[in-house]
Amino acid sequence: MATIALLILVSMMVSSALALLALNMGKKSNLDREKMSPFECGFDPNKKARSPFSLRFFMLTIIFLIFDVEIVLLLPLGVLAKYSDPLMITITATILVLIIGLGLTHEWNQGALSWEI
């Protein structure tokens, strides 16, 4: 029992020493203040961080993600063609392509894909 307590004590001391060493060695100096400031695409970091974004661009991104997931559902069908009934693979692929096509047509009719202001 004393051996386990000694091992726990030694491991706690070693981990504490390593943590203190990392904290002391990892301190950054204030001399490189410009290097420490955030930099995003040439914009001044002192300006307002919460600037408005384009809702149209956000919606286009969401539409892209939805269609991307549907395309990912189509990809395994080529591999499954060897192991499954070709008629079922064809029906599944047709249904998925029909869903993608109807979704694209709907988004086009709603004007989500137009870049007009």
mmCIF file of all heavy atoms in Angstrom, residues 39-92:
data_model
loop_
_atom_site.group_PDB
_atom_site.id
_atom_site.type_symbol
_atom_site.label_atom_id
_atom_site.label_comp_id
_atom_site.label_asym_id
_atom_site.label_seq_id
_atom_site.Cartn_x
_atom_site.Cartn_y
_atom_site.Cartn_z
ATOM 1 N N PHE A 39 -4.828 38.895 -36.994
ATOM 2 C CA PHE A 39 -4.709 39.415 -38.352
ATOM 3 C C PHE A 39 -5.608 38.595 -39.251
ATOM 4 O O PHE A 39 -5.466 37.383 -39.328
ATOM 5 C CB PHE A 39 -3.262 39.315 -38.833
ATOM 6 C CG PHE A 39 -3.055 39.837 -40.211
ATOM 7 C CD1 PHE A 39 -3.034 41.197 -40.440
ATOM 8 C CD2 PHE A 39 -2.911 38.978 -41.283
ATOM 9 C CE1 PHE A 39 -2.851 41.696 -41.710
ATOM 10 C CE2 PHE A 39 -2.727 39.464 -42.553
ATOM 11 C CZ PHE A 39 -2.692 40.831 -42.777
ATOM 12 N N GLU A 40 -6.562 39.258 -39.878
ATOM 13 C CA GLU A 40 -7.481 38.552 -40.755
ATOM 14 C C GLU A 40 -7.539 39.242 -42.106
ATOM 15 O O GLU A 40 -8.087 40.318 -42.238
ATOM 16 C CB GLU A 40 -8.887 38.525 -40.155
ATOM 17 C CG GLU A 40 -8.997 37.704 -38.907
ATOM 18 C CD GLU A 40 -10.431 37.633 -38.438
ATOM 19 O OE1 GLU A 40 -11.321 37.685 -39.285
ATOM 20 O OE2 GLU A 40 -10.634 37.528 -37.230
ATOM 21 N N CYS A 41 -6.951 38.663 -43.079
ATOM 22 C CA CYS A 41 -7.082 39.078 -44.477
ATOM 23 C C CYS A 41 -6.798 40.561 -44.692
ATOM 24 O O CYS A 41 -7.447 41.215 -45.499
ATOM 25 C CB CYS A 41 -8.476 38.746 -45.009
ATOM 26 S SG CYS A 41 -8.897 37.028 -44.831
ATOM 27 N N GLY A 42 -5.875 41.132 -43.947
ATOM 28 C CA GLY A 42 -5.511 42.512 -44.152
ATOM 29 C C GLY A 42 -6.404 43.511 -43.462
ATOM 30 O O GLY A 42 -6.197 44.714 -43.583
ATOM 31 N N PHE A 43 -7.425 43.079 -42.726
ATOM 32 C CA PHE A 43 -8.311 44.005 -42.032
ATOM 33 C C PHE A 43 -7.676 44.447 -40.723
ATOM 34 O O PHE A 43 -6.963 43.691 -40.074
ATOM 35 C CB PHE A 43 -9.671 43.363 -41.755
ATOM 36 C CG PHE A 43 -10.452 43.086 -42.994
ATOM 37 C CD1 PHE A 43 -10.670 41.782 -43.406
ATOM 38 C CD2 PHE A 43 -10.958 44.115 -43.762
ATOM 39 C CE1 PHE A 43 -11.384 41.517 -44.551
ATOM 40 C CE2 PHE A 43 -11.668 43.859 -44.903
ATOM 41 C CZ PHE A 43 -11.885 42.559 -45.312
ATOM 42 N N ASP A 44 -7.952 45.647 -40.324
ATOM 43 C CA ASP A 44 -7.435 46.193 -39.084
ATOM 44 C C ASP A 44 -8.108 45.497 -37.903
ATOM 45 O O ASP A 44 -9.334 45.498 -37.811
ATOM 46 C CB ASP A 44 -7.713 47.693 -39.046
ATOM 47 C CG ASP A 44 -7.065 48.344 -37.852
ATOM 48 O OD1 ASP A 44 -6.181 47.717 -37.241
ATOM 49 O OD2 ASP A 44 -7.444 49.493 -37.537
ATOM 50 N N PRO A 45 -7.353 44.891 -36.989
ATOM 51 C CA PRO A 45 -7.976 44.177 -35.878
ATOM 52 C C PRO A 45 -8.605 45.102 -34.840
ATOM 53 O O PRO A 45 -9.281 44.642 -33.943
ATOM 54 C CB PRO A 45 -6.822 43.372 -35.271
ATOM 55 C CG PRO A 45 -5.608 44.135 -35.637
ATOM 56 C CD PRO A 45 -5.897 44.766 -36.969
ATOM 57 N N ASN A 46 -8.380 46.399 -34.932
ATOM 58 C CA ASN A 46 -8.935 47.326 -33.944
ATOM 59 C C ASN A 46 -10.356 47.739 -34.276
ATOM 60 O O ASN A 46 -10.992 48.435 -33.501
ATOM 61 C CB ASN A 46 -8.050 48.569 -33.850
ATOM 62 C CG ASN A 46 -6.674 48.223 -33.332
ATOM 63 O OD1 ASN A 46 -6.523 47.295 -32.546
ATOM 64 N ND2 ASN A 46 -5.675 48.936 -33.793
ATOM 65 N N LYS A 47 -10.844 47.346 -35.421
ATOM 66 C CA LYS A 47 -12.215 47.690 -35.799
ATOM 67 C C LYS A 47 -13.201 46.744 -35.127
ATOM 68 O O LYS A 47 -12.817 45.786 -34.466
ATOM 69 C CB LYS A 47 -12.380 47.610 -37.313
ATOM 70 C CG LYS A 47 -11.629 48.697 -38.041
ATOM 71 C CD LYS A 47 -11.892 48.616 -39.510
ATOM 72 C CE LYS A 47 -11.131 49.712 -40.234
ATOM 73 N NZ LYS A 47 -11.287 49.628 -41.663
ATOM 74 N N LYS A 48 -14.469 47.013 -35.339
ATOM 75 C CA LYS A 48 -15.528 46.209 -34.739
ATOM 76 C C LYS A 48 -15.448 44.764 -35.235
ATOM 77 O O LYS A 48 -15.382 44.506 -36.427
ATOM 78 C CB LYS A 48 -16.882 46.821 -35.113
ATOM 79 C CG LYS A 48 -18.037 46.226 -34.372
ATOM 80 C CD LYS A 48 -19.278 47.046 -34.584
ATOM 81 C CE LYS A 48 -20.034 46.493 -35.765
ATOM 82 N NZ LYS A 48 -21.334 47.074 -35.957
ATOM 83 N N ALA A 49 -15.461 43.819 -34.316
ATOM 84 C CA ALA A 49 -15.304 42.406 -34.664
ATOM 85 C C ALA A 49 -16.582 41.819 -35.251
ATOM 86 O O ALA A 49 -16.537 40.901 -36.064
ATOM 87 C CB ALA A 49 -14.888 41.608 -33.442
ATOM 88 N N ARG A 50 -17.721 42.308 -34.851
ATOM 89 C CA ARG A 50 -18.999 41.761 -35.296
ATOM 90 C C ARG A 50 -19.568 42.595 -36.437
ATOM 91 O O ARG A 50 -20.492 43.361 -36.266
ATOM 92 C CB ARG A 50 -19.992 41.731 -34.141
ATOM 93 C CG ARG A 50 -19.569 40.880 -33.004
ATOM 94 C CD ARG A 50 -19.809 39.454 -33.312
ATOM 95 N NE ARG A 50 -19.495 38.649 -32.145
ATOM 96 C CZ ARG A 50 -19.330 37.374 -32.201
ATOM 97 N NH1 ARG A 50 -19.451 36.740 -33.328
ATOM 98 N NH2 ARG A 50 -19.051 36.702 -31.129
ATOM 99 N N SER A 51 -18.995 42.446 -37.597
ATOM 100 C CA SER A 51 -19.526 43.170 -38.743
ATOM 101 C C SER A 51 -20.623 42.330 -39.397
ATOM 102 O O SER A 51 -20.592 41.099 -39.353
ATOM 103 C CB SER A 51 -18.413 43.465 -39.749
ATOM 104 O OG SER A 51 -17.846 42.273 -40.200
ATOM 105 N N PRO A 52 -21.615 42.974 -40.019
ATOM 106 C CA PRO A 52 -22.708 42.212 -40.629
ATOM 107 C C PRO A 52 -22.211 41.394 -41.822
ATOM 108 O O PRO A 52 -21.293 41.797 -42.531
ATOM 109 C CB PRO A 52 -23.696 43.289 -41.062
ATOM 110 C CG PRO A 52 -22.907 44.530 -41.160
ATOM 111 C CD PRO A 52 -21.785 44.415 -40.166
ATOM 112 N N PHE A 53 -22.836 40.265 -42.032
ATOM 113 C CA PHE A 53 -22.475 39.414 -43.159
ATOM 114 C C PHE A 53 -23.682 39.277 -44.074
ATOM 115 O O PHE A 53 -24.811 39.569 -43.708
ATOM 116 C CB PHE A 53 -21.978 38.040 -42.693
ATOM 117 C CG PHE A 53 -23.014 37.246 -41.957
ATOM 118 C CD1 PHE A 53 -23.789 36.305 -42.628
ATOM 119 C CD2 PHE A 53 -23.215 37.429 -40.615
ATOM 120 C CE1 PHE A 53 -24.740 35.572 -41.960
ATOM 121 C CE2 PHE A 53 -24.169 36.701 -39.934
ATOM 122 C CZ PHE A 53 -24.932 35.770 -40.605
ATOM 123 N N SER A 54 -23.415 38.792 -45.260
ATOM 124 C CA SER A 54 -24.461 38.663 -46.260
ATOM 125 C C SER A 54 -25.320 37.430 -45.963
ATOM 126 O O SER A 54 -24.830 36.306 -45.927
ATOM 127 C CB SER A 54 -23.833 38.534 -47.650
ATOM 128 O OG SER A 54 -24.810 38.222 -48.597
ATOM 129 N N LEU A 55 -26.603 37.658 -45.755
ATOM 130 C CA LEU A 55 -27.519 36.552 -45.505
ATOM 131 C C LEU A 55 -27.667 35.676 -46.749
ATOM 132 O O LEU A 55 -27.813 34.463 -46.652
ATOM 133 C CB LEU A 55 -28.877 37.079 -45.058
ATOM 134 C CG LEU A 55 -29.885 36.030 -44.613
ATOM 135 C CD1 LEU A 55 -29.354 35.258 -43.423
ATOM 136 C CD2 LEU A 55 -31.206 36.667 -44.280
ATOM 137 N N ARG A 56 -27.584 36.282 -47.924
ATOM 138 C CA ARG A 56 -27.674 35.524 -49.173
ATOM 139 C C ARG A 56 -26.504 34.542 -49.297
ATOM 140 O O ARG A 56 -26.668 33.399 -49.706
ATOM 141 C CB ARG A 56 -27.707 36.470 -50.362
ATOM 142 C CG ARG A 56 -27.966 35.769 -51.668
ATOM 143 C CD ARG A 56 -28.231 36.750 -52.778
ATOM 144 N NE ARG A 56 -29.388 37.579 -52.537
ATOM 145 C CZ ARG A 56 -30.629 37.236 -52.862
ATOM 146 N NH1 ARG A 56 -30.851 36.076 -53.418
ATOM 147 N NH2 ARG A 56 -31.631 38.040 -52.633
ATOM 148 N N PHE A 57 -25.306 34.994 -48.916
ATOM 149 C CA PHE A 57 -24.150 34.104 -48.949
ATOM 150 C C PHE A 57 -24.314 32.971 -47.942
ATOM 151 O O PHE A 57 -23.972 31.822 -48.222
ATOM 152 C CB PHE A 57 -22.872 34.892 -48.657
ATOM 153 C CG PHE A 57 -21.645 34.050 -48.652
ATOM 154 C CD1 PHE A 57 -21.128 33.562 -49.831
ATOM 155 C CD2 PHE A 57 -21.011 33.735 -47.462
ATOM 156 C CE1 PHE A 57 -19.991 32.765 -49.830
ATOM 157 C CE2 PHE A 57 -19.889 32.946 -47.450
ATOM 158 C CZ PHE A 57 -19.378 32.466 -48.636
ATOM 159 N N PHE A 58 -24.845 33.268 -46.762
ATOM 160 C CA PHE A 58 -25.086 32.244 -45.748
ATOM 161 C C PHE A 58 -26.079 31.205 -46.265
ATOM 162 O O PHE A 58 -25.880 29.995 -46.085
ATOM 163 C CB PHE A 58 -25.598 32.900 -44.465
ATOM 164 C CG PHE A 58 -25.931 31.923 -43.385
ATOM 165 C CD1 PHE A 58 -24.937 31.287 -42.681
ATOM 166 C CD2 PHE A 58 -27.255 31.652 -43.080
ATOM 167 C CE1 PHE A 58 -25.249 30.385 -41.674
ATOM 168 C CE2 PHE A 58 -27.571 30.747 -42.088
ATOM 169 C CZ PHE A 58 -26.564 30.122 -41.386
ATOM 170 N N MET A 59 -27.165 31.652 -46.894
ATOM 171 C CA MET A 59 -28.170 30.722 -47.419
ATOM 172 C C MET A 59 -27.579 29.859 -48.529
ATOM 173 O O MET A 59 -27.875 28.667 -48.628
ATOM 174 C CB MET A 59 -29.385 31.490 -47.931
ATOM 175 C CG MET A 59 -30.220 32.096 -46.820
ATOM 176 S SD MET A 59 -30.814 30.871 -45.646
ATOM 177 C CE MET A 59 -31.891 29.912 -46.668
ATOM 178 N N LEU A 60 -26.736 30.450 -49.369
ATOM 179 C CA LEU A 60 -26.095 29.677 -50.434
ATOM 180 C C LEU A 60 -25.173 28.615 -49.839
ATOM 181 O O LEU A 60 -25.097 27.495 -50.353
ATOM 182 C CB LEU A 60 -25.323 30.609 -51.364
ATOM 183 C CG LEU A 60 -24.819 29.985 -52.649
ATOM 184 C CD1 LEU A 60 -25.989 29.581 -53.525
ATOM 185 C CD2 LEU A 60 -23.931 30.946 -53.385
ATOM 186 N N THR A 61 -24.516 28.946 -48.759
ATOM 187 C CA THR A 61 -23.657 27.969 -48.090
ATOM 188 C C THR A 61 -24.480 26.818 -47.520
ATOM 189 O O THR A 61 -24.093 25.650 -47.643
ATOM 190 C CB THR A 61 -22.869 28.659 -46.962
ATOM 191 O OG1 THR A 61 -22.169 29.770 -47.502
ATOM 192 C CG2 THR A 61 -21.907 27.715 -46.303
ATOM 193 N N ILE A 62 -25.603 27.116 -46.917
ATOM 194 C CA ILE A 62 -26.478 26.068 -46.373
ATOM 195 C C ILE A 62 -27.002 25.178 -47.500
ATOM 196 O O ILE A 62 -27.032 23.938 -47.372
ATOM 197 C CB ILE A 62 -27.639 26.692 -45.579
ATOM 198 C CG1 ILE A 62 -27.113 27.451 -44.370
ATOM 199 C CG2 ILE A 62 -28.650 25.643 -45.158
ATOM 200 C CD1 ILE A 62 -26.367 26.594 -43.385
ATOM 201 N N ILE A 63 -27.401 25.783 -48.609
ATOM 202 C CA ILE A 63 -27.876 25.006 -49.761
ATOM 203 C C ILE A 63 -26.762 24.092 -50.277
ATOM 204 O O ILE A 63 -26.986 22.912 -50.589
ATOM 205 C CB ILE A 63 -28.394 25.943 -50.867
ATOM 206 C CG1 ILE A 63 -29.672 26.630 -50.405
ATOM 207 C CG2 ILE A 63 -28.634 25.190 -52.169
ATOM 208 C CD1 ILE A 63 -30.095 27.772 -51.292
ATOM 209 N N PHE A 64 -25.540 24.627 -50.346
ATOM 210 C CA PHE A 64 -24.411 23.811 -50.785
ATOM 211 C C PHE A 64 -24.209 22.615 -49.861
ATOM 212 O O PHE A 64 -23.973 21.495 -50.327
ATOM 213 C CB PHE A 64 -23.134 24.652 -50.847
ATOM 214 C CG PHE A 64 -21.908 23.836 -51.064
ATOM 215 C CD1 PHE A 64 -21.623 23.328 -52.318
ATOM 216 C CD2 PHE A 64 -21.054 23.542 -50.019
ATOM 217 C CE1 PHE A 64 -20.496 22.555 -52.526
ATOM 218 C CE2 PHE A 64 -19.934 22.777 -50.208
ATOM 219 C CZ PHE A 64 -19.652 22.278 -51.475
ATOM 220 N N LEU A 65 -24.292 22.825 -48.555
ATOM 221 C CA LEU A 65 -24.105 21.724 -47.616
ATOM 222 C C LEU A 65 -25.187 20.659 -47.767
ATOM 223 O O LEU A 65 -24.902 19.455 -47.704
ATOM 224 C CB LEU A 65 -24.088 22.250 -46.186
ATOM 225 C CG LEU A 65 -22.838 23.007 -45.778
ATOM 226 C CD1 LEU A 65 -22.999 23.588 -44.385
ATOM 227 C CD2 LEU A 65 -21.632 22.111 -45.841
ATOM 228 N N ILE A 66 -26.420 21.085 -47.991
ATOM 229 C CA ILE A 66 -27.509 20.119 -48.165
ATOM 230 C C ILE A 66 -27.280 19.280 -49.415
ATOM 231 O O ILE A 66 -27.379 18.045 -49.391
ATOM 232 C CB ILE A 66 -28.858 20.841 -48.210
ATOM 233 C CG1 ILE A 66 -29.184 21.402 -46.831
ATOM 234 C CG2 ILE A 66 -29.966 19.904 -48.672
ATOM 235 C CD1 ILE A 66 -30.364 22.338 -46.811
ATOM 236 N N PHE A 67 -26.949 19.947 -50.530
ATOM 237 C CA PHE A 67 -26.711 19.200 -51.762
ATOM 238 C C PHE A 67 -25.450 18.353 -51.666
ATOM 239 O O PHE A 67 -25.371 17.268 -52.254
ATOM 240 C CB PHE A 67 -26.627 20.146 -52.965
ATOM 241 C CG PHE A 67 -27.964 20.676 -53.384
ATOM 242 C CD1 PHE A 67 -28.185 22.041 -53.482
ATOM 243 C CD2 PHE A 67 -29.013 19.828 -53.669
ATOM 244 C CE1 PHE A 67 -29.414 22.535 -53.865
ATOM 245 C CE2 PHE A 67 -30.248 20.305 -54.049
ATOM 246 C CZ PHE A 67 -30.452 21.660 -54.134
ATOM 247 N N ASP A 68 -24.468 18.813 -50.914
ATOM 248 C CA ASP A 68 -23.246 18.039 -50.739
ATOM 249 C C ASP A 68 -23.532 16.737 -50.003
ATOM 250 O O ASP A 68 -23.005 15.682 -50.362
ATOM 251 C CB ASP A 68 -22.224 18.877 -49.970
ATOM 252 C CG ASP A 68 -20.837 18.305 -50.047
ATOM 253 O OD1 ASP A 68 -20.470 17.816 -51.132
ATOM 254 O OD2 ASP A 68 -20.122 18.351 -49.035
ATOM 255 N N VAL A 69 -24.373 16.786 -48.989
ATOM 256 C CA VAL A 69 -24.742 15.572 -48.260
ATOM 257 C C VAL A 69 -25.507 14.617 -49.176
ATOM 258 O O VAL A 69 -25.306 13.392 -49.136
ATOM 259 C CB VAL A 69 -25.566 15.928 -47.002
ATOM 260 C CG1 VAL A 69 -26.208 14.703 -46.395
ATOM 261 C CG2 VAL A 69 -24.690 16.619 -45.984
ATOM 262 N N GLU A 70 -26.360 15.156 -50.021
ATOM 263 C CA GLU A 70 -27.103 14.284 -50.939
ATOM 264 C C GLU A 70 -26.172 13.636 -51.964
ATOM 265 O O GLU A 70 -26.377 12.470 -52.334
ATOM 266 C CB GLU A 70 -28.201 15.080 -51.630
ATOM 267 C CG GLU A 70 -29.317 15.460 -50.676
ATOM 268 C CD GLU A 70 -30.374 16.334 -51.304
ATOM 269 O OE1 GLU A 70 -30.185 16.767 -52.456
ATOM 270 O OE2 GLU A 70 -31.395 16.579 -50.647
ATOM 271 N N ILE A 71 -25.163 14.355 -52.406
ATOM 272 C CA ILE A 71 -24.194 13.760 -53.334
ATOM 273 C C ILE A 71 -23.396 12.673 -52.632
ATOM 274 O O ILE A 71 -23.085 11.628 -53.216
ATOM 275 C CB ILE A 71 -23.265 14.851 -53.901
ATOM 276 C CG1 ILE A 71 -24.045 15.836 -54.753
ATOM 277 C CG2 ILE A 71 -22.126 14.258 -54.705
ATOM 278 C CD1 ILE A 71 -24.710 15.233 -55.968
ATOM 279 N N VAL A 72 -23.076 12.879 -51.353
ATOM 280 C CA VAL A 72 -22.352 11.860 -50.587
ATOM 281 C C VAL A 72 -23.190 10.588 -50.470
ATOM 282 O O VAL A 72 -22.656 9.481 -50.436
ATOM 283 C CB VAL A 72 -21.954 12.413 -49.194
ATOM 284 C CG1 VAL A 72 -21.498 11.327 -48.262
ATOM 285 C CG2 VAL A 72 -20.869 13.451 -49.355
ATOM 286 N N LEU A 73 -24.500 10.716 -50.455
ATOM 287 C CA LEU A 73 -25.366 9.531 -50.429
ATOM 288 C C LEU A 73 -25.323 8.779 -51.757
ATOM 289 O O LEU A 73 -25.547 7.570 -51.794
ATOM 290 C CB LEU A 73 -26.806 9.936 -50.114
ATOM 291 C CG LEU A 73 -27.054 10.443 -48.692
ATOM 292 C CD1 LEU A 73 -28.483 10.943 -48.564
ATOM 293 C CD2 LEU A 73 -26.771 9.363 -47.684
ATOM 294 N N LEU A 74 -25.023 9.482 -52.837
ATOM 295 C CA LEU A 74 -24.946 8.827 -54.143
ATOM 296 C C LEU A 74 -23.632 8.069 -54.354
ATOM 297 O O LEU A 74 -23.595 7.088 -55.084
ATOM 298 C CB LEU A 74 -25.079 9.865 -55.264
ATOM 299 C CG LEU A 74 -26.477 10.282 -55.648
ATOM 300 C CD1 LEU A 74 -26.410 11.430 -56.647
ATOM 301 C CD2 LEU A 74 -27.250 9.133 -56.231
ATOM 302 N N LEU A 75 -22.562 8.517 -53.744
ATOM 303 C CA LEU A 75 -21.245 7.936 -54.004
ATOM 304 C C LEU A 75 -21.131 6.439 -53.691
ATOM 305 O O LEU A 75 -20.542 5.703 -54.476
ATOM 306 C CB LEU A 75 -20.172 8.723 -53.258
ATOM 307 C CG LEU A 75 -19.888 10.107 -53.823
ATOM 308 C CD1 LEU A 75 -18.874 10.819 -52.956
ATOM 309 C CD2 LEU A 75 -19.413 10.029 -55.240
ATOM 310 N N PRO A 76 -21.658 5.945 -52.593
ATOM 311 C CA PRO A 76 -21.483 4.517 -52.314
ATOM 312 C C PRO A 76 -22.268 3.598 -53.243
ATOM 313 O O PRO A 76 -22.046 2.392 -53.242
ATOM 314 C CB PRO A 76 -21.985 4.350 -50.885
ATOM 315 C CG PRO A 76 -22.122 5.691 -50.325
ATOM 316 C CD PRO A 76 -22.226 6.632 -51.455
ATOM 317 N N LEU A 77 -23.170 4.148 -54.018
ATOM 318 C CA LEU A 77 -23.979 3.288 -54.882
ATOM 319 C C LEU A 77 -23.133 2.577 -55.933
ATOM 320 O O LEU A 77 -23.455 1.460 -56.336
ATOM 321 C CB LEU A 77 -25.093 4.104 -55.541
ATOM 322 C CG LEU A 77 -26.154 4.646 -54.575
ATOM 323 C CD1 LEU A 77 -27.174 5.452 -55.340
ATOM 324 C CD2 LEU A 77 -26.808 3.531 -53.814
ATOM 325 N N GLY A 78 -22.061 3.191 -56.371
ATOM 326 C CA GLY A 78 -21.171 2.534 -57.328
ATOM 327 C C GLY A 78 -20.483 1.320 -56.734
ATOM 328 O O GLY A 78 -20.289 0.300 -57.400
ATOM 329 N N VAL A 79 -20.111 1.412 -55.483
ATOM 330 C CA VAL A 79 -19.461 0.284 -54.807
ATOM 331 C C VAL A 79 -20.479 -0.813 -54.503
ATOM 332 O O VAL A 79 -20.183 -1.997 -54.613
ATOM 333 C CB VAL A 79 -18.776 0.766 -53.508
ATOM 334 C CG1 VAL A 79 -18.184 -0.387 -52.736
ATOM 335 C CG2 VAL A 79 -17.716 1.793 -53.824
ATOM 336 N N LEU A 80 -21.700 -0.405 -54.150
ATOM 337 C CA LEU A 80 -22.730 -1.382 -53.805
ATOM 338 C C LEU A 80 -23.282 -2.120 -55.019
ATOM 339 O O LEU A 80 -23.979 -3.113 -54.865
ATOM 340 C CB LEU A 80 -23.881 -0.689 -53.073
ATOM 341 C CG LEU A 80 -23.563 -0.172 -51.683
ATOM 342 C CD1 LEU A 80 -24.759 0.580 -51.122
ATOM 343 C CD2 LEU A 80 -23.180 -1.300 -50.771
ATOM 344 N N ALA A 81 -22.986 -1.641 -56.213
ATOM 345 C CA ALA A 81 -23.531 -2.269 -57.419
ATOM 346 C C ALA A 81 -23.078 -3.719 -57.558
ATOM 347 O O ALA A 81 -23.804 -4.549 -58.099
ATOM 348 C CB ALA A 81 -23.120 -1.466 -58.656
ATOM 349 N N LYS A 82 -21.885 -4.047 -57.052
ATOM 350 C CA LYS A 82 -21.398 -5.423 -57.144
ATOM 351 C C LYS A 82 -22.143 -6.354 -56.195
ATOM 352 O O LYS A 82 -22.274 -7.540 -56.465
ATOM 353 C CB LYS A 82 -19.909 -5.478 -56.804
ATOM 354 C CG LYS A 82 -19.016 -4.803 -57.799
ATOM 355 C CD LYS A 82 -17.565 -5.093 -57.515
ATOM 356 C CE LYS A 82 -17.107 -4.288 -56.322
ATOM 357 N NZ LYS A 82 -15.664 -4.356 -56.096
ATOM 358 N N TYR A 83 -22.609 -5.809 -55.069
ATOM 359 C CA TYR A 83 -23.146 -6.647 -54.010
ATOM 360 C C TYR A 83 -24.659 -6.631 -53.906
ATOM 361 O O TYR A 83 -25.220 -7.368 -53.117
ATOM 362 C CB TYR A 83 -22.557 -6.197 -52.667
ATOM 363 C CG TYR A 83 -21.060 -6.155 -52.669
ATOM 364 C CD1 TYR A 83 -20.393 -4.944 -52.631
ATOM 365 C CD2 TYR A 83 -20.312 -7.323 -52.732
ATOM 366 C CE1 TYR A 83 -19.006 -4.891 -52.645
ATOM 367 C CE2 TYR A 83 -18.937 -7.287 -52.749
ATOM 368 C CZ TYR A 83 -18.289 -6.064 -52.700
ATOM 369 O OH TYR A 83 -16.927 -6.024 -52.720
ATOM 370 N N SER A 84 -25.319 -5.800 -54.657
ATOM 371 C CA SER A 84 -26.755 -5.654 -54.505
ATOM 372 C C SER A 84 -27.439 -5.818 -55.855
ATOM 373 O O SER A 84 -26.799 -5.907 -56.899
ATOM 374 C CB SER A 84 -27.064 -4.280 -53.913
ATOM 375 O OG SER A 84 -28.441 -4.173 -53.649
ATOM 376 N N ASP A 85 -28.755 -5.802 -55.821
ATOM 377 C CA ASP A 85 -29.555 -5.932 -57.032
ATOM 378 C C ASP A 85 -29.415 -4.662 -57.868
ATOM 379 O O ASP A 85 -29.635 -3.554 -57.371
ATOM 380 C CB ASP A 85 -31.024 -6.148 -56.628
ATOM 381 C CG ASP A 85 -31.933 -6.365 -57.816
ATOM 382 O OD1 ASP A 85 -31.432 -6.818 -58.864
ATOM 383 O OD2 ASP A 85 -33.141 -6.076 -57.681
ATOM 384 N N PRO A 86 -29.049 -4.781 -59.138
ATOM 385 C CA PRO A 86 -28.876 -3.587 -59.980
ATOM 386 C C PRO A 86 -30.157 -2.759 -60.122
ATOM 387 O O PRO A 86 -30.091 -1.534 -60.236
ATOM 388 C CB PRO A 86 -28.449 -4.145 -61.337
ATOM 389 C CG PRO A 86 -27.943 -5.504 -61.058
ATOM 390 C CD PRO A 86 -28.652 -5.995 -59.849
ATOM 391 N N LEU A 87 -31.304 -3.412 -60.094
ATOM 392 C CA LEU A 87 -32.559 -2.678 -60.201
ATOM 393 C C LEU A 87 -32.766 -1.782 -58.978
ATOM 394 O O LEU A 87 -33.164 -0.619 -59.110
ATOM 395 C CB LEU A 87 -33.729 -3.658 -60.348
ATOM 396 C CG LEU A 87 -35.109 -3.006 -60.469
ATOM 397 C CD1 LEU A 87 -35.176 -2.154 -61.729
ATOM 398 C CD2 LEU A 87 -36.190 -4.049 -60.452
ATOM 399 N N MET A 88 -32.461 -2.286 -57.780
ATOM 400 C CA MET A 88 -32.611 -1.483 -56.569
ATOM 401 C C MET A 88 -31.624 -0.320 -56.537
ATOM 402 O O MET A 88 -31.961 0.789 -56.107
ATOM 403 C CB MET A 88 -32.416 -2.353 -55.319
ATOM 404 C CG MET A 88 -33.559 -3.306 -55.070
ATOM 405 S SD MET A 88 -35.157 -2.491 -54.970
ATOM 406 C CE MET A 88 -34.951 -1.575 -53.468
ATOM 407 N N ILE A 89 -30.403 -0.565 -57.010
ATOM 408 C CA ILE A 89 -29.405 0.514 -57.078
ATOM 409 C C ILE A 89 -29.879 1.593 -58.041
ATOM 410 O O ILE A 89 -29.786 2.799 -57.757
ATOM 411 C CB ILE A 89 -28.031 -0.047 -57.518
ATOM 412 C CG1 ILE A 89 -27.496 -1.023 -56.478
ATOM 413 C CG2 ILE A 89 -27.040 1.068 -57.775
ATOM 414 C CD1 ILE A 89 -27.113 -0.388 -55.167
ATOM 415 N N THR A 90 -30.428 1.189 -59.174
ATOM 416 C CA THR A 90 -30.920 2.151 -60.165
ATOM 417 C C THR A 90 -32.102 2.946 -59.613
ATOM 418 O O THR A 90 -32.166 4.172 -59.790
ATOM 419 C CB THR A 90 -31.333 1.419 -61.451
ATOM 420 O OG1 THR A 90 -30.237 0.620 -61.908
ATOM 421 C CG2 THR A 90 -31.741 2.389 -62.528
ATOM 422 N N ILE A 91 -33.009 2.273 -58.939
ATOM 423 C CA ILE A 91 -34.169 2.964 -58.358
ATOM 424 C C ILE A 91 -33.709 3.951 -57.277
ATOM 425 O O ILE A 91 -34.162 5.108 -57.234
ATOM 426 C CB ILE A 91 -35.176 1.947 -57.792
ATOM 427 C CG1 ILE A 91 -35.843 1.183 -58.932
ATOM 428 C CG2 ILE A 91 -36.218 2.629 -56.925
ATOM 429 C CD1 ILE A 91 -36.698 0.022 -58.475
ATOM 430 N N THR A 92 -32.785 3.529 -56.426
ATOM 431 C CA THR A 92 -32.277 4.400 -55.370
ATOM 432 C C THR A 92 -31.567 5.613 -55.954
ATOM 433 O O THR A 92 -31.784 6.750 -55.517
ATOM 434 C CB THR A 92 -31.321 3.620 -54.454
ATOM 435 O OG1 THR A 92 -31.976 2.462 -53.962
ATOM 436 C CG2 THR A 92 -30.840 4.474 -53.304
#
